[in-house]
Amino acid sequence: MSRISRAVDDGAVVDVGAGAGSYEPDRSTVLAVEPSCRMLAQRAGAVPAVQAVAEQLPLRDRAADVTLAVLTVHHWRDWRRGLAELRRTSHRQVIVAYETRLHAEFWLTREYIPEIARLEASRPSATDIADELGADDVTALPVPWDFADGVFPAHWRRPEAYLDARVRRNCSALAQTDEAAVSRGIERLREDLASGRWHERHRDLLGRDELDVGFRLVTRG
């Protein structure tokens, strides 16, 4: 969160695909843009929010100092048009995206649920997004072992977390993959955790404090 805040700096910020507002900077003027009524209902606080999509932002040209988009571009129906809207409506763009190749190579995908790789292949990667945006900088964002956000590879050193259905529902890569395939993979993971095979196979991860699982901070302007 601190790296995102530093990248945003200050001024008028539009958070596109804002969700519940977990990544919004608290020192800037923020307008949240979110297409989902359900997510808008979960928001709290005084930050104004509007229901709209990234591909058609209800803003005039250069209305904002910064447009912020955190782990949302891969969900947009037309991500190229959405990026064009970010450039149209702001002087600076700050995006958190991920390298889909690294998510496809993540141990949960590679060893237990290979079907996730097909989903990731259909999504734009951080490199694709940076190229389309004309980014000035792309910075790796390693994930600490105790990362509180429930994004897909966040539990890279805590495999037991994936046994929890609530955790899986909060990971779009799992929620959008065939349920039977996910169930089969999770059952194999459960067996490998019980036998100790997972810990033996991945003992190199157990002493690490952070890992590059593909997240990137992409900035322009």
Side-chain angles (χ1 to χ4, degrees), residues 108-119:
L108 186 62
T109 305
R110 186 180 66 248
E111 299 169 19
Y112 298 98
I113 315 174
E115 291 81 1
I116 292 174
R118 289 199 293 270
L119 173 65

Side-chain angles (χ1 to χ4, degrees), residues 183-217:
S183 295
R184 286 193 300 270
I186 293 301
E187 186 56 35
R188 289 197 299 271
L189 174 60
R190 190 187 309 275
E191 293 170 358
D192 283 356
L193 289 172
S195 69
R197 282 192 295 268
W198 186 94
H199 291 82
E200 177 63 25
R201 190 182 301 137
H202 296 288
R203 55 186 171 183
D204 60 308
L205 296 179
L206 301 179
R208 301 192 61 164
D209 292 328
E210 62 180 24
L211 185 70
D212 180 5
V213 290
F215 293 111
R216 301 290 183 265
L217 181 64

Side-chain angles (χ1 to χ4, degrees), residues 108-145:
L108 186 62
T109 305
R110 186 180 66 248
E111 299 169 19
Y112 298 98
I113 315 174
E115 291 81 1
I116 292 174
R118 289 199 293 270
L119 173 65
E120 297 297 359
S122 71
R123 293 173 159 179
S125 71
T127 298
D128 297 328
I129 291 166
D131 289 346
E132 182 71 20
L133 187 69
D136 298 317
D137 187 67
V138 179
T139 304
L141 297 174
V143 173
W145 75 270

Side-chain angles (χ1 to χ4, degrees), residues 11 35 52 102:
L102 292 182

